[in-house]
Amino acid sequence: MTSSRPGTVTFVLGGARSGKSRFSENLCLETGLERHYVATGQIWDTEMADRIALHRTQRGEGWVTHEEPVDLVGTLAAIDRPDRVVLVDCLTLWVTNLMMAERDVADACADLVASLSICKAQVIFVSNEVGLGIVPDNKMARTFRDHAGRLHQNLAASADRVYFIAAGLPLTLKG
């Protein structure tokens, strides 16, 4: 499927600590465009604060960082320009944030995917694959898995390129 939108959308999926963020950052560097990083993580405890600080350090300089836990569509619209590459890391944290804020997750996900049709920037989304493990033992975790799985399917269908990362190695699924 060839995209008719001005920008391109890349979706990078993988397990925890699979190397998907590093892979995505390298894709951004290869573009030569102005780099923007949209961080969806929120600091809930000292361990998460340490993780976020480590990500910032590993990413290095040359990035404009936008911290947005919920209004991803609005943030993307505000920074959307053809001379930019935007890395969104990560969608599973975003889904968690929506659930914790008691937002309509299905509508927010549909709005995100729909917004990509007019995107001018190159956008790279990172997310954790959550459907390869056991069925969660509680309703909230199952609901989260279902929301993430539907978002992943819809985003992958809309994306120009999709990669699955395992052990730091990319497998091209689309594009």
Side-chain angles (χ1 to χ4, degrees):
M1 176 176 115
T2 304
S3 173
S4 61
R5 73 179 151 262
T8 59
V9 174
T10 301
F11 183 32
V12 179
L13 192 62
R17 292 286 168 257
S18 63
K20 57 193 176 301
S21 292
R22 177 63 50 121
F23 176 80
S24 300
E25 290 164 8
N26 287 335
L27 287 178
C28 290
L29 291 171
E30 291 170 5
T31 68
L33 299 172
E34 181 181 300
R35 297 185 311 271
H36 287 252
Y37 186 94
V38 179
T40 62
Q42 295 188 78
I43 297 175
W44 298 103
D45 55 30
T46 56
E47 188 267 343
M48 189 63 171
D50 292 344
R51 283 180 181 268
I52 289 171
L54 179 62
H55 262 269
R56 284 183 186 140
T57 301
Q58 289 175 335
R59 206 166 40 247
E61 294 182 12
W63 294 84
V64 178
T65 300
H66 310 267
E67 295 183 1
E68 181 48 61
V70 176
D71 186 17
L72 194 49
V73 172
T75 299
L76 288 173
I79 63 176
D80 186 30
R81 288 193 357 208
D83 62 337
R84 292 179 174 169
V85 60
V86 179
L87 175 57
V88 178
D89 197 354
C90 88
L91 291 176
T92 44
L93 286 175
W94 179 64
V95 169
T96 299
N97 296 338
L98 291 170
M99 289 178 68
M100 298 303 287
E102 298 182 356
R103 301 286 178 97
D104 187 323
V105 179
D107 281 353
C109 292
D111 290 346
L112 175 64
V113 173
S115 76
L116 301 176
S117 66
I118 59 169
C119 207
K120 297 177 213 70
Q122 292 187 34
V123 184
I124 300 172
F125 291 99
V126 175
S127 199
N128 292 295
E129 174 52 61
V130 297
L132 295 175
I134 61 171
V135 175
D137 69 347
N138 66 77
K139 183 180 186 317
M140 183 176 184
R142 287 187 300 274
T143 301
F144 166 78
R145 182 214 43 205
D146 293 347
H147 284 308
R150 285 187 204 100
L151 172 59
H152 293 166
Q153 290 178 55
N154 293 330
L155 184 57
S158 174
D160 301 289
R161 300 181 299 176
V162 180
Y163 298 98
F164 185 83
I165 310 298
L169 302 173
L171 173 63
T172 302
L173 301 178
K174 180 180 180 182

